[in-house]
Amino acid sequence: MKKELIIIGGGTAGYVGAIRGAQLGAKVTLIEKADIGGTCLNRGCIPTKALLKNAEILNTLSHIDDFGISVSDYTIDFAKIMARKDQVVNQLVRGVEQLLRDYGVEVIQGEASFVSSSKLRVKTSQGEIDLESEQIVIATGSVPTRPEIPGIDLDKVITSDELLELKELPKSLAIAGSGVIGIEFASIFNAMGTEVTVISSTLLKRIDTEIQKRLSPILKRQGLTILKDTRVKAVAKAKDGLSITVFDKKKEKETILEAEYLLMATGRRPYYDNLALEKAGVAYTSKGITVNERFETNVPGILAVGDAIGGLMLAHVASHEAIDAVEGLLGHSPSTNFDVVPDCVFIEPEIAYVGMTEEMAVEKGIPFTSSKFLFAANGKSLSMGNTDGFIKVVAHEETKKILGVHIMGPHASDIVHEAALAINNDLDVKAIAHTIHAHPTLSEAFMEAVNGITETSIHMSPKKKK
């Protein structure tokens, strides 16, 4: 007899877990109250990347003369841009829905809540239905946060969800928050001609500090205004949009700026509203549902994965959490290494990183050495006309095992996976150096940076003798 498995939430974690459960022979029921694909496919990763392609094209057009091409004029059709974004999203969502059908997953459109530890009540458009299972996985995702400040509920104070549904291109946009969400939207709308101001405490605080320092002037050169060490204190209506009071923490001074819209990109919180976790006895905090290393809650048979448990709110992490959780439930031995997680920022230049920074190695007392190779010295990068940035490799000083890799430059999000594979498998610099990298490719820059650890990089000048 097939094991029965219920998954609450049809986002990245939910649908991936459902498909993996079906692959392992379980009878899977997936409950989703809105759209299959959740935040990532509908309101996050995919629509923003569709819009970032427009930004990439527009950034190329801004210096198209460098390639010997003259463009006298062009116009931006914002409605068509947004329609293309929707088409990309719809195609992917329909594809996932078809996969779920192909694997025999039963999808119920409705909102679930616990009645007991093994019973769920689902509100659907046709009424309420009850479902029971000894194995339930919670994958309800996250939602944008809104800090409690005066004026936060004004119409033109929006989250990323509303920004992706705008019908007209804003003339001006202020963005509160300079994490990945804030900076990606800043890049998108700046490229389309919107006047963008980023209200920032720390620019992309999880990235390598050298990349932080180099990125700021690049973004300013692109036309972005970045207010450092600042936060939004209050918002009020203005003639053409909003009046935003900003507090500079270093100068201890308030200033007022005006913008048509204010995007609150100040983070996301785990979502389990209306799930009635108390009725199941499931423990949770404001940071997420409490789980162990096997994603088990304190209630036997109930697991939780993805953004609902907090931590790194990344779609690729959520996917692997769901796979591991379902495999464990169904008697298998999952083995994903969650200590090695590549992360990416899709702007121009792209940023990607995995493993330790130099600062982390210092904090942990690990002896290390590092090497850096500039994209300006890479043939493929030069031919593309995209030379901003570098690849930095951090390696153990004695064993020469790769500890971390930090990239700012073209296609960083593609290059980083060789680094992730190396760290995940405890490879040293020799393993990379003795692997032939095709020429001319951007990946050669990674090989050169790795070889710099042992001072054997061919295309890097030797270090000066002290």
Side-chain angles (χ1 to χ4, degrees):
M1 184 177 176
K2 282 189 173 183
K3 288 187 176 181
E4 294 189 2
L5 172 63
I6 296 176
I7 298 178
I8 309 170
T12 304
Y15 85 73
V16 168
I19 289 173
R20 185 64 185 129
Q23 288 175 340
L24 294 173
K27 180 181 182 297
V28 184
T29 301
L30 180 65
I31 305 167
E32 169 55 49
K33 72 172 186 177
D35 303 306
I36 292 296
T39 296
C40 180
L41 263 66
N42 295 280
R43 299 173 297 281
C45 321
I46 301 306
T48 55
K49 301 314 161 283
L51 293 178
L52 277 161
K53 182 60 183 178
N54 291 89
E56 179 187 327
I57 292 168
L58 289 165
N59 285 329
T60 299
L61 282 171
S62 70
H63 61 96
I64 196 71
D65 285 351
D66 295 347
F67 297 90
I69 301 169
S70 295
V71 176
S72 57
D73 194 20
Y74 62 86
T75 59
I76 293 174
D77 186 335
F78 189 67
K80 194 169 183 178
I81 287 171
M82 298 301 271
R84 177 184 174 275
K85 176 262 297 179
D86 291 340
Q87 186 272 327
V88 170
V89 168
N90 290 335
Q91 183 174 335
L92 278 170
V93 170
R94 299 295 86 80
V96 172
E97 289 174 342
Q98 185 60 51
L99 278 171
L100 291 167
R101 286 192 290 270
D102 290 347
Y103 277 104
V105 175
E106 182 185 5
V107 178
I108 297 175
Q109 191 88 32
E111 185 173 15
S113 61
F114 282 96
V115 176
S116 69
S117 61
S118 60
K119 187 176 181 180
L120 294 167
R121 183 154 294 150
V122 185
K123 293 179 182 178
T124 74
S125 56
Q126 287 80 40
E128 293 183 347
I129 59 173
D130 288 345
L131 300 173
E132 288 196 58
S133 177
E134 298 300 319
Q135 298 180 114
I136 298 172
V137 178
I138 302 168
T140 45
S142 63
V143 291
T145 57
R146 278 181 176 264
E148 294 183 7
I149 57 175
I152 194 68
D153 294 324
L154 290 171
D155 286 344
K156 291 193 172 184
V157 180
I158 58 177
T159 68
S160 55
D161 291 358
E162 292 89 54
L163 187 61
L164 287 166
E165 299 302 321
L166 290 182
K167 303 302 180 187
E168 294 183 358
L169 181 65
K171 292 182 176 64
S172 57
L173 174 67
I175 299 177
S178 58
V180 175
I181 294 171
I183 290 299
E184 287 189 354
F185 276 117
S187 294
I188 290 167
F189 283 90
N190 175 65
M192 288 194 280
T194 299
E195 183 183 330
V196 179
T197 302
V198 179
I199 303 161
S200 168
S201 55
T202 304
L203 179 63
L204 294 171
K205 61 184 177 183
R206 293 210 305 262
I207 67 172
D208 172 79
T209 53
E210 187 174 359
I211 292 179
Q212 282 181 356
K213 289 174 184 175
R214 292 202 181 202
L215 179 63
S216 187
I218 291 172
L219 295 178
K220 288 178 181 176
R221 191 174 73 218
Q222 292 173 359
L224 283 167
T225 299
I226 299 177
L227 305 179
K228 293 182 179 179
D229 299 307
T230 58
R231 63 178 175 84
V232 175
K233 194 170 182 182
V235 189
K237 285 185 179 180
K239 183 181 176 182
D240 297 317
L242 299 169
S243 173
I244 304 159
T245 302
V246 174
F247 180 70
D248 187 315
K249 288 180 281 188
K250 277 192 174 179
K251 296 178 181 177
E252 295 187 350
K253 178 183 176 184
E254 287 184 5
T255 55
I256 294 176
L257 62 93
E258 292 194 357
E260 187 177 353
Y261 288 92
L262 171 62
L263 169 65
M264 298 306 299
T266 49
R268 299 179 68 85
R269 67 168 178 86
Y271 180 81
Y272 32 77
D273 306 14
N274 307 320
L275 197 53
L277 292 172
E278 296 86 356
K279 291 184 179 180
V282 173
Y284 65 94
T285 70
S286 60
K287 294 182 179 180
I289 296 171
T290 306
V291 296
N292 62 19
E293 69 279 0
R294 296 182 295 278
F295 306 103
E296 298 166 332
T297 69
N298 61 305
V299 179
I302 300 180
L303 282 72
V305 294
D307 288 6
I309 66 173
L312 281 176
M313 293 186 178
L314 300 169
H316 44 289
V317 173
S319 295
H320 281 277
E321 288 175 351
I323 290 169
D324 275 26
V326 169
E327 287 182 349
L329 264 180
L330 298 178
H332 293 260
S333 300
S335 57
T336 302
N337 182 2
F338 289 98
D339 291 329
V340 182
V341 178
D343 202 351
C344 308
V345 186
F346 294 91
I347 57 176
E348 188 172 317
E350 277 191 356
I351 295 168
Y353 52 96
V354 63
M356 289 186 194
T357 61
E358 292 170 309
E359 293 79 12
M360 289 177 186
V362 170
E363 287 174 13
K364 291 177 181 288
I366 297 173
F368 72 92
T369 182
S370 64
S371 169
K372 184 172 63 183
F373 188 81
L374 303 179
F375 277 106
N378 174 263
K380 181 67 178 289
S381 180
L382 277 166
S383 67
M384 292 166 62
N386 198 342
T387 57
D388 278 332
F390 58 89
I391 297 182
K392 179 191 286 186
V393 175
V394 181
H396 195 286
E397 191 170 40
E398 296 159 5
T399 66
K400 298 299 186 286
K401 285 184 178 179
I402 298 171
L403 301 174
V405 176
H406 309 274
I407 310 169
M408 179 174 71
H411 294 271
S413 61
D414 301 313
I415 300 168
V416 75
H417 295 97
E418 184 179 1
L421 189 66
I423 297 170
N424 196 47
N425 289 278
D426 286 328
L427 299 184
D428 61 15
V429 297
K430 190 181 293 184
I432 303 299
H434 291 177
T435 300
I436 297 174
H437 288 62
H439 174 76
T441 62
L442 296 170
S443 292
E444 286 178 290
F446 175 58
M447 179 185 69
E448 297 282 7
V450 169
N451 285 340
I453 296 290
T454 53
E455 298 187 37
T456 57
S457 172
I458 300 300
H459 297 95
M460 191 187 299
S461 296
K463 291 180 180 178
K464 292 181 179 179
K465 303 293 184 183
K466 291 183 179 180

